[in-house]
Amino acid sequence: MSTAAHSSMKLAGHESQLAKKNRPVVIAGPCSAESEEQMLETARGLKKVKGVTVFRAGIWKPRTRPGSFQGVGVIGLEWLKSVKQETGLRTSCEVATAGQVELALQQGVDILLIGAHTTVNPFLVQEIADALKGVQVPVLVKNPVNPDLQLWLGALERLHHSGVTDLGAMHRGFSTLDNAPYRNHPKWEHALELRKLVPELAMYCDASHIAGRRSLLRPVSQRALDLGYDGLMVETHFNPVAALSDAQQQIMPQELHMLLQALKQQNAQVEKGKQGTQLEKLRKEIELLDDELLALMSRRTKVSAQLGDCSKQATQTASPDPVRWDLVLENLLQQASTAGIDQRFVETIFQEVRSQYARTHLYNYGMSS
């Protein structure tokens, strides 16, 4: 983002219509609108869950291939309207085109979401931004599918330049080479970098799309709150087993209640400490970096195993050690010098990595490192 854009871009945050009240803001509802009964039954359950203020549902569902369930379309907006009239919950849905924006606003949808597959397309984002000129409605922009900070920033800028003042970012995770154990890797540091660039930006966590399954919802949600996120979005269905999409990551309203209660208890303990201080923020950042290191080590171990399997299948004349360790070390030390990292530290780590590889693979050939 340019300096000028940064200095003039007053986004959501503490003045946001969504985040100005009690935190965390909780947005909940089914992945997809399936029927009016399903919507109302889920909303009635969510109305009883303390902290839930926004009901969300997917009206249009982007699918990679035709023939999959792509949402119910316009009629789902009428069901959202019924939810709002009966429960008083504010409503939200994802829009991907200017036409969908107009239809959603006509039916009184309170909050618009820009999906990950839309954020990657500046042309679509600009069309949506143009359709929102003169309209004051909160808009939450999901991160692009791949970790591209400029695309995320660019989408926010386009909306801001069109006069949308109540903006927030929705962190839903990223597609990486190895997402395990998540559906979409959180890459927390990437979202925090966006917040550093735009400090007043309200940040929400789509815990369901990061987790991908119910068992990970609690740790993902807790990490988001520990990092100071303004709110959570959790996919909720009155009967998840029968859901037409993403059944494995949706929970029932009563389960959401228990999740939020558990998070509040942990947050109370955290608040007694030094949360919010610079020291605590740095500690949290170190924890994120440690997570990234472990994830990289896990990926490297898997690739190393594949390399070992390939070497076993090689001919007798082929070298059982396909790695040119001397060249690898030389390159690493050059990079370390450029980055200002102690070369002896890097060499020590490298030698341990090499020893681990030798113990795991080369001994199968009756060799030592």
Side-chain angles (χ1 to χ4, degrees), residues 68-82:
S68 303
F69 175 62
Q70 299 184 73
V72 296
V74 178
I75 192 172
L77 296 174
E78 298 179 11
W79 301 340
L80 271 179
K81 197 171 187 178
S82 297

Side-chain angles (χ1 to χ4, degrees), residues 181-223:
Y182 309 100
R183 175 179 177 178
N184 294 292
H185 200 290
K187 294 187 72 66
W188 299 103
E189 76 286 352
H190 200 76
L192 293 179
E193 182 63 23
L194 175 68
R195 207 170 198 182
K196 286 181 181 178
L197 292 173
V198 192
E200 64 273 19
L201 180 67
M203 183 72 73
Y204 302 85
C205 177
D206 182 349
S208 299
H209 274 85
I210 290 177
R213 58 179 187 267
R214 300 177 188 91
S215 62
L216 289 177
L217 282 174
R218 181 171 174 175
V220 169
S221 299
Q222 188 63 58
R223 175 56 63 89

Side-chain angles (χ1 to χ4, degrees), residues 102-142:
E102 294 174 3
L103 290 169
L105 293 177
Q106 287 172 8
Q107 293 297 325
V109 175
D110 297 297
I111 300 144
L112 301 181
L113 283 163
I114 309 298
H117 295 280
T118 304
T119 305
V120 301
N121 190 325
F123 295 105
L124 285 177
V125 175
Q126 188 60 55
E127 289 179 4
I128 291 172
D130 292 340
L132 287 171
K133 285 183 178 179
V135 179
Q136 289 305 313
V137 59
V139 181
L140 304 180
V141 181
K142 289 191 175 185

